[in-house]
Amino acid sequence: MSDSNRSGKRPRVHVIYEYGQDYRPYSSSFLRLIRPLTHPMAQSHVDATFGLDYNGEPVDLVIIDRLWRYDVSLPLVQELVNRIRLKGIRIVYALDDNYFDLPFFEDSRPVSEILPVVSFLLHQADVVLVTTPALRQRLLEYNPNIHILPNQLDERLLVPRFPSDRDLRMDQKRIVIGYMGTFTHDRDFMLVLPALKSIHQRYPGQIEFQIVGVVNKEQTKQELQELPVRYVYPRHEEHEYPLFMLWFTGHIHWDIGISPVVNTPFNDCKSDIKFLDYASIGAAGIYSSSPAYSATVHHRQNGWLAENTPAAWEEALETLIYDPALRLNLIQDAGRYLYTQRTLAQRGTDWVALLKSLC
């Protein structure tokens, strides 16, 4: 234990966030590390600094985020760990994806080039921080000291939505179905495409599909051409996570939000972040019945869990289109859950307790 913590002082933490070629933090870094540790609930108890690297900061812990940098390599992370160890500082490795079962990687490098980096950091870390029980179970063979800290939303970035009975539009002429995510969900989208096409044919002129991100392949976009799809984008300056969430919760108005997830070992370790996102905009969510959502989503209470078949997704969509009262109930229950259990205002102290225990 460092002198600072023996004397009862605040834990000192330095976060090396993951960043791209523009040197800006990735959205996941904002969500999982930067926003929690800059929230008033944590700031009053923890001294946190943030940067692209470790430059000798006098701290108790260094948190290394995911793959650290866009040009990461095993020699780079080995040198980084050596510099931190020479200062006698504990290392926390923060991870939210199961890279060992990753079907592809977003940039041009093969997965085989990043696995040695992840494996090395897992073995070297004093503590590993993950977001789901499934991911913890998958990584235990690499490090037995793994803590789970679920994702929380920063309420300071949310434009609150509290729908009531007055918002029931029984004569509603158009239903908006939306899907938001990174540009890596082509395969997930294709899973529900037959159901979307069937719903469009059944309710001609009454359905609009809106997409934020999600699809990246031209083949997928070609498949969507027969649907009334609108691609919705924030302004360029609103792409970074804090402004994106303000834009998303302030400007997006969906009746139904969907999150199809193909059943794979990689997806089984994902978090329920889409449930939180859709709850924040007051959309009734339909989610694949998968480990990512099964612990949070209670079927027909705060969301709809659908098996990954066209018939199950079509049933879910048609039921929520036809039943606005059920949509409202799902929306209200999801909103209550978000604001009472999954915001930093409610759970920011989890970070404080964890960091104090690690120091």
Side-chain angles (χ1 to χ4, degrees), residues 259-330:
S259 184
V261 178
V262 175
N263 294 323
T264 66
F266 174 77
N267 285 336
D268 286 351
C269 294
K270 301 286 282 185
S271 79
D272 59 358
I273 186 62
K274 284 294 166 291
F275 172 84
L276 304 182
D277 289 337
Y278 293 163
S280 74
I281 63 168
I286 306 174
Y287 311 91
S288 285
S289 183
S290 71
Y293 295 113
S294 58
T296 304
V297 180
H298 301 288
H299 185 56
R300 296 180 69 99
Q301 294 181 34
N302 60 6
W304 187 290
L305 290 173
E307 297 296 328
N308 281 342
T309 66
W313 274 89
E314 187 173 338
E315 177 193 5
L317 288 164
E318 184 167 18
T319 301
L320 293 188
I321 290 170
Y322 181 78
D323 192 342
L326 176 58
R327 287 203 312 270
L328 180 62
N329 289 339
L330 301 186

Side-chain angles (χ1 to χ4, degrees), residues 174 176-179 208-212 230 232 252-254:
R174 186 187 66 166
V176 181
I177 301 171
Y179 187 5
E208 178 182 313
F209 302 104
Q210 293 187 8
I211 298 176
V212 179
R230 185 155 70 95
V232 186
I252 296 300
H253 299 275
W254 295 342

